[in-house]
């Protein structure tokens, strides 16, 4: 069962934190590489960021993602199908499942991502490395201006500081395994 993080609650929390830091949308925009308009839409609940972009917004505001959402976490080092709880950031058709155990100094942070047909992410960048493996569907992944079509069974590994975005292609929901070296949650 998926827990849904209401986008208006998420946006209100981001706006409240930004104002408490006495930062403008322009300042946050410059730090995270997202447009002022998109950040404004997030704060008003008209749009939701990807989990990676939410991580970057949190970092720009001097905090972590936990300040905005409480994602379900697993304890221990074994992750069992059917025992994990997925969550979304407003659009219940786009879900995330954290696969990694919660232990100190973990270097890898795996997440299962389900996205509906037609979903296009914003352009993002972060520290570290990303690895994606397509389990179902077809994904267009653009990294540093180069476009790559990944079908079921295809994967890609890239430096996350390069600007990147992805889009689902075709008529089916995608299922993607993402492994990052930068933690989304602390």
């Amino acid at each position: 069962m998926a827990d849904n993080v209401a986008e208006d609650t998420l946006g209100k929390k981001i706006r409240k934190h930004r104002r408490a830091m006495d930062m403008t949308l322009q300042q946050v925009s410059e730090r995270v590489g997202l447009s002022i308009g998109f950040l404004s839409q997030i704060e008003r609940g008209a749009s939701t960021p990807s989990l990676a972009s939410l991580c970057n917004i949190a970092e720009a505001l001097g905090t972590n993602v936990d300040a905005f959402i409480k994602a379900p976490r697993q304890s221990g080092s074994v992750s069992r199908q059917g025992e994990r709880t997925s969550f979304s950031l407003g659009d219940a058709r786009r879900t995330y499942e954290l696969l990694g155990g919660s232990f100190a100094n973990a270097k890898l942070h795996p997440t299962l991502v389900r996205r509906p047909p037609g979903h296009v992410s914003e352009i993002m960048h972060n520290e570290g490395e990303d690895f994606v493996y397509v389990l179902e569907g077809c994904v267009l992944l653009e990294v540093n201006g180069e476009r790559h079509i990944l079908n079921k069974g295809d994967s890609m590994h890239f430096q996350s500081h390069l600007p990147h975005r992805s889009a689902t292609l075709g008529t089916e929901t995608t299922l993607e395994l993402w492994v990052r070296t930068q933690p989304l949650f602390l």
Side-chain angles (χ1 to χ4, degrees):
M1 174 174 240
D3 288 337
N4 187 14
V5 178
E7 56 238 49
D8 62 339
T9 302
L10 175 64
K12 286 178 184 176
K13 287 178 181 179
I14 292 171
R15 177 182 287 151
K16 182 178 178 181
H17 199 87
R18 177 180 61 79
R19 287 179 174 168
M21 297 291 296
D22 198 29
M23 291 181 70
T24 66
L25 284 172
Q26 175 72 36
Q27 290 169 318
V28 177
S29 172
E30 289 170 359
R31 289 185 183 187
V32 298
L34 298 172
S35 73
I36 294 170
F38 183 61
L39 290 170
S40 176
Q41 288 177 351
I42 292 169
E43 287 189 357
R44 290 181 283 121
S47 203
T48 55
S50 67
L51 191 53
S53 287
L54 181 59
C55 184
N56 291 338
I57 292 168
E59 184 179 332
L61 295 175
T63 189
N64 59 58
V65 175
D66 292 324
F68 305 121
I69 63 171
K70 299 298 178 214
R73 299 199 192 200
Q74 91 180 33
S75 59
S77 59
V78 176
S79 174
R80 303 229 184 258
Q81 182 176 342
E83 294 178 8
R84 295 183 296 266
T85 303
S86 63
F87 66 99
S88 68
L89 299 178
D91 181 350
R93 300 172 306 148
R94 186 176 75 199
T95 63
Y96 303 90
E97 277 183 54
L98 303 178
L99 301 178
S102 53
F103 59 88
N105 302 316
K107 304 264 188 281
L108 302 176
H109 307 279
T111 305
L112 276 180
V113 179
R114 285 180 182 80
R115 297 189 297 153
H119 178 266
V120 179
S121 77
E122 65 275 16
I123 295 175
M124 57 192 110
H125 56 87
N126 46 275
E127 294 303 313
E129 300 174 36
D130 277 348
F131 171 85
V132 61
Y133 178 82
V134 179
L135 295 158
E136 296 175 8
C138 182
V139 176
L140 170 66
L141 187 59
E142 184 177 326
V143 179
N144 205 28
E146 289 187 37
R147 299 166 63 108
H148 307 274
I149 294 177
L150 303 178
N151 292 294
K152 180 178 179 177
D154 293 343
S155 65
M156 186 168 178
H157 185 191
F158 59 94
Q159 294 291 322
S160 306
H161 73 274
L162 299 171
H164 57 279
R165 67 178 174 169
S166 59
T168 58
L169 301 176
T171 59
E172 65 180 292
T173 297
T174 64
L175 178 60
E176 306 154 34
L177 171 64
W178 284 83
V179 181
R180 307 179 75 205
T181 56
Q182 180 186 24
L184 294 169
F185 301 92
L186 299 177

